[in-house]
C-alpha cells in the first residue's frame, strides 16, 4: 500500500508544537536512513516516524480514550507512566482517523517508547530512530547513534541497557514490555 507522506507531514505540522514537529522530522529522516541500512520497508518506517508522536501533546484523558477504543488495558506500571501512553493512543488515532491499519506500522508505533519482547526489524528501526535522531542530546548520544547505524541488534541491546538503567536511576517501574525486551536483547 502506498501512503501519502506529504499528508502525514502536514498533519504532524498542524497537530504538534514546533519543537515536537522538528523532532518528528528528525525521526523520519533517521528512520528512513536506518530502514535503508537494514533492508526494511522505508515507507513504513517513514509513516511510523511521522505518526509516532502524533498523540504526544493531546490531553492524557484523550489518550486514555484512544487506548479504550483500541482495547488496550494498561498494567499498573504503565498506568503510572503516562509519558508512554502516546504511542499506544496513536495506534487508535491513525487507524480510525487515517485508515492506517498495517499491523507492522501500528506495532512499531505502539512500542517506540517501551520496546517489547518480540520486535521486528521495523520496530527496532523506529525505536532506534526515535532514540538517535539528530535532535537528541544526552550523554553518549554519539556512540549510540554510531552503533544504531552500524549494528541493529547490538544497538538494541545497548538501548535496552540504557533504558532500564535510566528507569532504575529515576526510581521508576519497568513495564512488562520493557522487561521482556531487556531480557531478549541481553541474549545477543
Amino acid at each position: 500500500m502506498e501512503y501519502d507522506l506529504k499528508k502525514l507531514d502536514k498533519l504532524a505540522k498542524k497537530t504538534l508544537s514546533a519543537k515536537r514537529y522538528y523532532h518528528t522530522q528528525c525521526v523520519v529522516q533517521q528512520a528512513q536512513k536506518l530502514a535503508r541500512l537494514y533492508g526494511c520497508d522505508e515507507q513504513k518506517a517513514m509513516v511510523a516516524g511521522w505518526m509516532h508522536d502524533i498523540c504526544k501533546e493531546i490531553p492524557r484523558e484523550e489518550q486514555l480514550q484512544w487506548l479504550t477504543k483500541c482495547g488496550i488495558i494498561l498494567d499498573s506500571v504503565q498506568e503510572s507512566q503516562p509519558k508512554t501512553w502516546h504511542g499506544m493512543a496513536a495506534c487508535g488515532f491513525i487507524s480510525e482517523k487515517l485508515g492506517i491499519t498495517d499491523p507492522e506500522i501500528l506495532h512499531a508505533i505502539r512500542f517506540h517508547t517501551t520496546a517489547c519482547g518480540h520486535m521486528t526489524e521495523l520496530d527496532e528501526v523506529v525505536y532506534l530512530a526515535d532514540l538517535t535522531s539528530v535532535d537528541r542530546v544526552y550523554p553518549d548520544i554519539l556512540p549510540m547513534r554510531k552503533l544504531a547505524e552500524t549494528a541493529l541488534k547490538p544497538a538494541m541491546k545497548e538501548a535496552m541497557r540504557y533504558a532500564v538503567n535510566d528507569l532504575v536511576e529515576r526510581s521508576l517501574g519497568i513495564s512488562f514490555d520493557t522487561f521482556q525486551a531487556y531480557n531478549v536483547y541481553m541474549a545477543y
Side-chain angles (χ1 to χ4, degrees):
M1 178 175 185
E2 289 292 317
Y3 296 97
D4 186 345
L5 297 174
K6 288 182 181 179
K7 178 182 174 183
L8 299 181
D9 179 355
K10 286 180 185 175
L11 176 63
K13 189 172 189 172
K14 180 179 118 184
T15 306
L16 302 172
S17 67
K19 181 180 178 183
R20 182 65 45 194
Y21 174 68
Y22 175 67
H23 165 69
T24 297
Q25 288 178 305
C26 294
V27 171
V28 170
Q29 290 169 355
Q30 185 72 343
Q32 182 181 27
K33 180 179 187 177
L34 295 177
R36 188 175 299 130
L37 282 169
Y38 297 112
C40 290
D41 187 310
E42 287 181 46
Q43 189 178 59
K44 287 183 181 187
M46 292 172 72
V47 169
W50 280 121
M51 295 291 101
H52 81 287
D53 276 355
I54 199 68
C55 291
K56 180 88 171 178
E57 296 174 326
I58 65 173
R60 290 187 175 150
E61 300 75 34
E62 193 175 335
Q63 290 181 35
L64 286 173
Q65 289 171 359
W66 284 114
L67 295 178
T68 301
K69 283 184 181 183
C70 292
I72 296 172
I73 299 169
L74 300 174
D75 64 30
S76 60
V77 174
Q78 291 169 324
E79 283 178 2
S80 71
Q81 296 174 354
K83 288 184 176 186
T84 64
W85 298 351
H86 66 280
M88 294 177 269
C91 292
F93 177 86
I94 68 171
S95 293
E96 187 172 303
K97 298 286 186 183
L98 303 175
I100 297 174
T101 58
D102 184 303
E104 292 178 61
I105 294 171
L106 296 177
H107 198 266
I109 291 170
R110 177 175 177 164
F111 294 104
H112 83 271
T113 57
T114 61
C116 67
H118 303 286
M119 293 182 77
T120 66
E121 284 190 351
L122 180 63
D123 296 339
E124 294 167 342
V125 160
V126 174
Y127 185 92
L128 291 169
D130 187 35
L131 184 67
T132 65
S133 60
V134 73
D135 63 309
R136 292 291 194 192
V137 179
Y138 56 85
D140 296 325
I141 180 60
L142 295 178
M144 187 68 232
R145 190 175 293 133
K146 183 176 182 179
L147 186 57
E149 295 173 3
T150 309
L152 192 59
K153 300 297 185 206
M156 282 302 300
K157 181 176 183 175
E158 185 58 30
M160 290 298 92
R161 195 176 299 142
Y162 174 84
V164 168
N165 186 51
D166 179 60
L167 291 167
V168 170
E169 284 182 3
R170 293 188 294 143
S171 299
L172 295 175
I174 300 170
S175 75
F176 182 71
D177 293 324
T178 303
F179 183 74
Q180 279 192 315
Y182 177 84
N183 285 338
V184 166
Y185 288 104
M186 288 310 109
Y188 283 98

